[in-house]
Amino acid sequence: MNYYFALQYRIAKRSIEEVGVPFWVGMLVLIGLLIAGYFICQRFPDYADLLLLYTGTSFLLTQAGSQRIDFLKTTFPEKKFRKVRLCESLLYILPFVILAGLVGAWFALGILPVAAYLFSMNTLTFQTRRSFPTPFRKYPFEFIILFRKFFWLFVALYGLGAIGIYVDNFNLSIFAAAVIILVAVGDAYSVIEPEEILWSNSRSPDRFLGYKIGRGAIQLSGLILPLLTLMSFFFREQTPWIALCWIIGCLLLALMVVLKYKSYPKPIGLIEGFSFVICIFIPILVIALFPYYYSKAKKNIQIVYDRNTTA
């Protein structure tokens, strides 16, 4: 297990250095972001719990991909697998637990360790063993798998959103909506399809990415808009923020699509995952990062096409 964490450290170090900056500079940037988070929570204490829970669960989602978990299960025995997952989850939320203690966000301080434990036990998938119809089309496949995998979690989050409406707590309802979006965007595109499926789609890279983003936005909207519409009816004065939540969700989905195909056929790398998490924290950065990763994804898809054409 020690070797595994040492390997993860070397991978993280190499990923930061591949960006073109020394490792210590990358660590200083991370520390600077944590300090900025502290002052933001101090400036907006009423939203500190929501902000820390939102960001902490986002980091947990980055290490909860199905392929990664399957790899760990084949590498470690059951007991050691659980131990590794728990240690990883606690390490991911440790900065946010410290921030929660410093700013007095006691609700987040209590919930984050529980969320880390549930993620480590792999219980937050709420998977059902039976296949059942979904409201999504067969192609693209991402949201069909997502809906069946997280069906009971989505039911629970819709219930949480309804409770927020009933007790007139907008923060609780918007938190439930935000988690639905994060789970959907963060997990749907963790499934890596075989190259043959990508190669045989008969679309140019531009059209393929446009199709994936467009269909993904429609399917995400179908998943989240019923709750957001209900919220806009009961929280009329908050309608601009509700609409902004939906827009940010679609922007994050578009970024996730290009991140996936920039790294394809490998899973999304550490730097790409970190870029995504930063965009959750500062959504306006999607506008700056999307063109760069879009061009990288387009070139990578063309490479896959050429490789399979000449094979």
Side-chain angles (χ1 to χ4, degrees):
M1 193 172 77
N2 292 336
Y3 173 78
Y4 170 76
F5 283 106
L7 178 62
Q8 294 303 305
Y9 167 77
R10 288 197 292 269
I11 292 173
K13 185 173 182 291
R14 182 179 299 175
S15 298
I16 291 174
E17 291 173 345
E18 284 178 353
V19 179
V21 298
F23 178 68
W24 65 269
V25 173
M27 296 307 297
L28 285 178
V29 171
L30 291 177
I31 293 171
L33 289 172
L34 289 174
I35 294 173
Y38 171 79
F39 284 110
I40 290 172
C41 290
Q42 288 282 68
R43 178 67 178 82
F44 304 101
D46 292 340
Y47 297 96
D49 284 305
L50 181 62
L51 183 63
L52 291 171
L53 285 171
Y54 181 82
T55 313
T57 52
S58 301
F59 271 85
L60 287 173
L61 283 169
T62 63
Q63 50 100 39
S66 56
Q67 288 188 331
R68 187 171 182 279
I69 291 174
D70 290 341
F71 168 75
L72 291 176
K73 283 182 176 179
T74 58
T75 304
F76 297 106
E78 180 67 18
K79 288 185 178 180
K80 190 164 286 188
F81 163 75
R82 298 297 182 189
K83 190 175 180 180
V84 168
R85 289 279 293 145
L86 181 58
C87 290
E88 280 190 324
S89 297
L90 291 175
L91 284 173
Y92 269 73
I93 64 152
L94 181 61
F96 306 103
V97 170
I98 294 172
L99 281 180
L102 290 174
V103 302
W106 308 120
F107 182 71
L109 185 63
I111 294 297
L112 281 172
V114 175
Y117 175 78
L118 292 175
F119 270 92
S120 69
M121 296 297 106
N122 200 26
T123 58
L124 282 182
T125 58
F126 290 77
Q127 282 184 292
T128 176
R129 295 179 180 273
R130 300 177 62 184
S131 179
F132 55 89
T134 75
F136 305 112
R137 291 178 57 185
K138 186 176 181 180
Y139 299 104
F141 60 88
E142 289 90 354
F143 274 77
I144 296 177
I145 298 173
L146 172 86
F147 189 78
R148 289 172 176 162
K149 182 179 179 182
F150 289 99
F151 175 75
W152 291 112
L153 175 60
F154 291 145
V155 170
L157 288 169
Y158 259 80
L160 185 64
I163 291 172
I165 292 172
Y166 180 76
V167 300
D168 197 27
N169 188 329
F170 173 74
N171 288 340
L172 184 61
S173 293
I174 200 68
F175 174 73
V179 173
I180 291 173
I181 290 172
L182 284 176
V183 171
V185 174
D187 192 84
Y189 297 98
S190 65
V191 180
I192 308 297
E193 66 268 36
E195 288 192 17
E196 291 79 8
I197 295 179
L198 179 61
W199 172 70
S200 62
N201 79 87
S202 73
R203 293 182 176 90
S204 67
D206 280 310
R207 288 184 58 207
F208 175 78
L209 289 172
Y211 171 74
K212 280 284 188 176
I213 293 170
R215 287 298 305 175
I218 292 171
Q219 291 175 323
L220 177 65
S221 299
L223 184 64
I224 193 62
L225 279 182
L227 177 58
L228 295 182
T229 302
L230 194 63
M231 288 171 57
S232 66
F233 180 79
F234 287 95
F235 301 112
R236 293 183 184 275
E237 69 283 0
Q238 303 288 354
T239 298
W241 292 106
I242 295 171
L244 184 62
C245 179
W246 171 70
I247 293 170
I248 290 174
C250 292
L251 289 174
L252 290 174
L253 181 139
L255 180 63
M256 180 58 77
V257 170
V258 296
L259 288 176
K260 172 184 175 178
Y261 289 103
K262 182 263 181 187
S263 303
Y264 185 89
K266 297 179 181 178
I268 292 174
L270 179 66
I271 294 300
E272 289 78 16
F274 183 73
S275 299
F276 179 77
V277 172
I278 294 299
C279 286
I280 293 173
F281 201 62
I282 312 174
I284 194 69
L285 288 180
V286 174
I287 298 173
L289 292 177
F290 180 81
Y292 170 77
Y293 283 116
Y294 180 88
S295 64
K296 293 287 186 180
K298 187 169 68 171
K299 290 178 183 178
N300 191 44
I301 292 171
Q302 189 60 54
I303 290 172
V304 174
Y305 285 175
D306 294 342
R307 180 166 63 241
N308 284 273
T309 301
T310 58

